[in-house]
Amino acid sequence: QVQLVESGGGLVQAGGSLRVSCAASGSIFTINAMGWYRQRPGAQREFVALITKSGTANYADSVRGRFTISRDNAKNTVYLQMNSLKPEDTAVYYCYTETASTIRTTGYWGKGTQVTVSS
């Protein structure tokens, strides 16, 4: 099993910045893609950003140009740098990691970290 632990969430004013992190540990053979999803109050979980093992990043339209995803493969960690934050960015941010073995590909979710942006 693989465990994902998010950190770095908190309260920030509109226009400010925050960086959340996610560290993977456990029975890891290799990690493919790593990413972030979020769930805003009263809404379904939505895609935010994804980064492949080779470093190619993809972003939701709502965050493109403001957020930057990165990863440290040696530490099995993915980061999300959030700039120019807006109140509508308020959500629980969940880390997603896809691992692979010689048998199968498996997806894992973190428990989430709260990000609150005040106006």
Side-chain angles (χ1 to χ4, degrees), residues 22 37 40 43-44 46 67 81 85 90 92-94 105 114:
C22 173
Y37 290 69
R40 307 192 221 191
Q44 294 184 316
E46 63 183 325
F67 291 10
Q81 177 66 46
L85 283 163
T90 295
V92 177
Y93 283 73
Y94 295 91
T105 298
Q114 177 70 48

Side-chain angles (χ1 to χ4, degrees), residues 102-113:
T102 55
I103 301 175
R104 66 176 182 175
T105 298
T106 306
Y108 296 92
W109 293 94
K111 293 185 176 181
T113 184

Side-chain angles (χ1 to χ4, degrees), residues 17 28 30 46 52 60 83 92 98 102 111:
S17 299
I28 301 173
T30 188
E46 63 183 325
T52 67
N83 299 326
V92 177
E98 183 181 277
T102 55
K111 293 185 176 181

Side-chain angles (χ1 to χ4, degrees), residues 7-82:
S7 62
L11 176 64
V12 64
Q13 295 180 356
S17 299
L18 204 64
R19 188 179 77 158
V20 290
S21 304
C22 173
S25 62
S27 301
I28 301 173
F29 185 77
T30 188
I31 296 178
N32 292 331
M34 303 185 79
W36 292 92
Y37 290 69
R38 69 185 180 188
Q39 188 165 15
R40 307 192 221 191
Q44 294 184 316
R45 188 175 299 185
E46 63 183 325
F47 168 79
V48 175
L50 186 75
I51 185 167
T52 67
K53 190 173 183 178
S54 63
T56 300
N58 187 33
Y59 299 94
D61 289 341
S62 60
V63 306
R64 187 175 292 108
R66 299 187 297 120
F67 291 10
T68 302
I69 188 170
S70 61
R71 62 190 287 172
D72 185 335
N73 291 335
K75 296 181 178 180
N76 291 329
T77 300
V78 62
Y79 307 92
L80 185 68
Q81 177 66 46
M82 301 179 285

